[in-house]
């Protein structure tokens, strides 16, 4: 069995929140960066895809959290790819403690899109393939999220600092947007245990995004035309 792509990180102040625990946006950033590092190790760095006018975008993610690592804790971050489903590239993640015990597990679905047209690219025609290294025990990622009518609402208007190199709001920023809608006292006393995220379409400067949110069956749900997020605490 091929070993998972892995490296170690020691958590510093930029990784943690006011409780000294790994921030959810930092967790997504860690997953994003190890994804980039892994495909680069396979001979497909960003320069390779950009030469084809292609970019990787994430569409869905499921995360389960046993506990959030803390400030100055050393963690091992692991990733490995699954079997491609036509245009969808599954990718799996683990964050393990110093003893090697997985404390966070995740599954994500990625696609390649044309940078200019923003349309999904055919990886076969583009000559891009990532070998299946799945083990069969990975988390299932829901193909659909559906919420009842959510009562509360707000509007998000992105700022320059929300953007990434692809010219849209980075996927990691969404966690800050929705968490900031929750009461501070609640966040100080509760840690996320499971997260589902579906990115529906990109957000750019100038967009005005209405977000509806509320508590549904013990989980906080956030919905808009651009994304759906469910966080269980």
């Amino acid at each position: 069995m091929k070993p998972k792509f892995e490296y170690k990180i020691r958590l510093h102040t930029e990784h943690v929140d006011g409780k000294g625990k790994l921030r959810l946006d930092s967790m997504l950033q860690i997953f994003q960066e190890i994804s980039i590092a892994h495909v680069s190790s396979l001979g497909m760095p960003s320069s390779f895809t950009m030469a084809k006018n292609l970019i990787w975008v994430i569409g869905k993610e499921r995360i389960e959290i046993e506990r959030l690592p803390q400030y100055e804790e050393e963690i091992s971050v692991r990733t490995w790819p699954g079997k491609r489903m036509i245009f969808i590239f599954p990718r799996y993640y683990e964050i393990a403690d110093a003893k090697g015990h997985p404390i966070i597990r995740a599954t994500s679905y990625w696609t390649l899109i044309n940078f200019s047209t923003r349309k999904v690219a055919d990886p076969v025609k583009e000559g891009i393939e990532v070998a299946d290294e799945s083990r069969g025990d990975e988390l299932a990622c829901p193909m659909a999220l559906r919420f009842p009518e959510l009562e509360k609402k707000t509007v998000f208007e992105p700022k320059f600092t929300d953007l990434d190199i692809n010219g849209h709001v980075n996927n990691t920023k969404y966690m800050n947007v929705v968490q900031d809608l929750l009461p501070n006292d609640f966040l100080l006393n509760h840690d996320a245990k499971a997260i589902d995220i579906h990115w529906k379409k990109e957000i750019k400067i100038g967009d005005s995004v209405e977000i509806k949110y509320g508590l549904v069956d013990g989980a906080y749900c956030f919905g808009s035309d651009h994304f759906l997020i469910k966080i269980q605490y």
Side-chain angles (χ1 to χ4, degrees):
M1 185 177 291
K2 188 173 181 178
K4 301 167 186 175
F5 186 83
E6 177 177 346
Y7 54 62
K8 296 182 185 297
I9 298 174
R10 186 171 297 278
L11 298 185
H12 301 297
T13 52
E14 66 266 27
H15 296 116
V16 299
D17 59 19
K19 298 183 290 185
K21 296 181 179 181
L22 180 65
R23 295 201 323 264
L24 301 186
D25 67 307
S26 292
M27 177 178 64
L28 296 185
Q29 187 75 38
I30 287 169
F31 290 157
Q32 177 177 273
E33 292 305 315
I34 197 172
S35 302
I36 294 169
H38 181 238
V39 294
S40 294
S41 76
L42 299 176
M44 294 180 287
S46 57
S47 58
F48 172 83
T49 48
M50 286 302 295
K52 294 174 174 285
N53 203 31
L54 300 174
I55 57 174
W56 290 100
V57 294
I58 188 169
K60 295 179 172 65
E61 193 154 33
R62 165 72 179 179
I63 304 164
E64 293 187 0
I65 303 166
E66 181 179 300
R67 72 170 180 87
L68 291 168
Q70 302 186 57
Y71 175 59
E72 291 194 335
E73 184 172 351
E74 185 176 79
I75 57 174
S76 295
V77 187
R78 306 162 180 162
T79 189
W80 64 102
K83 184 178 181 180
R84 179 172 57 84
M85 300 179 287
I86 306 178
F87 299 140
I88 299 172
F89 291 82
R91 177 166 288 280
Y92 310 109
Y93 309 94
E94 286 180 349
I95 292 178
D97 62 18
K99 295 181 179 179
H101 174 70
I103 55 176
I104 300 174
R105 301 170 67 217
T107 292
S108 61
Y109 291 158
W110 294 77
T111 55
L112 284 162
I113 68 168
N114 183 283
F115 182 76
S116 300
T117 66
R118 280 349 205 207
K119 291 183 179 179
V120 175
D122 184 339
V124 175
K125 290 182 179 179
E126 298 293 346
I128 294 177
E129 189 59 271
V130 180
D132 176 20
E133 297 177 19
S134 57
R135 281 122 165 98
D137 61 349
E138 292 85 2
L139 291 180
C141 186
M143 293 303 293
L145 283 180
R146 294 184 178 88
F147 303 147
E149 186 65 26
L150 301 171
E151 295 182 356
K152 297 181 179 179
K153 68 171 77 172
T154 189
V155 173
F156 169 61
E157 295 182 345
K159 307 295 189 296
F160 178 80
T161 53
D162 295 317
L163 305 184
D164 63 16
I165 195 171
N166 295 321
H168 57 209
V169 175
N170 187 268
N171 73 84
T172 67
K173 296 286 187 177
Y174 289 65
M175 294 310 305
N176 291 343
V177 172
V178 300
Q179 277 200 295
D180 285 344
L181 297 174
L182 302 182
N184 290 333
D185 287 348
F186 177 84
L187 294 173
L188 284 169
N189 291 286
H190 297 81
D191 292 336
K193 297 300 182 185
I195 304 169
D196 289 291
I197 314 173
H198 288 190
W199 291 272
K200 297 161 69 176
K201 61 180 180 180
E202 63 186 342
I203 302 175
K204 295 184 175 182
I205 286 288
D207 288 341
S208 183
V209 180
E210 181 180 77
I211 302 171
K212 295 183 178 181
Y213 63 103
L215 193 61
V216 179
D217 296 330
Y220 276 102
C221 299
F222 310 84
S224 79
D225 291 338
H226 296 261
F227 63 85
L228 298 172
I229 296 177
K230 178 180 179 181
I231 308 177
Q232 295 172 297
Y233 287 89

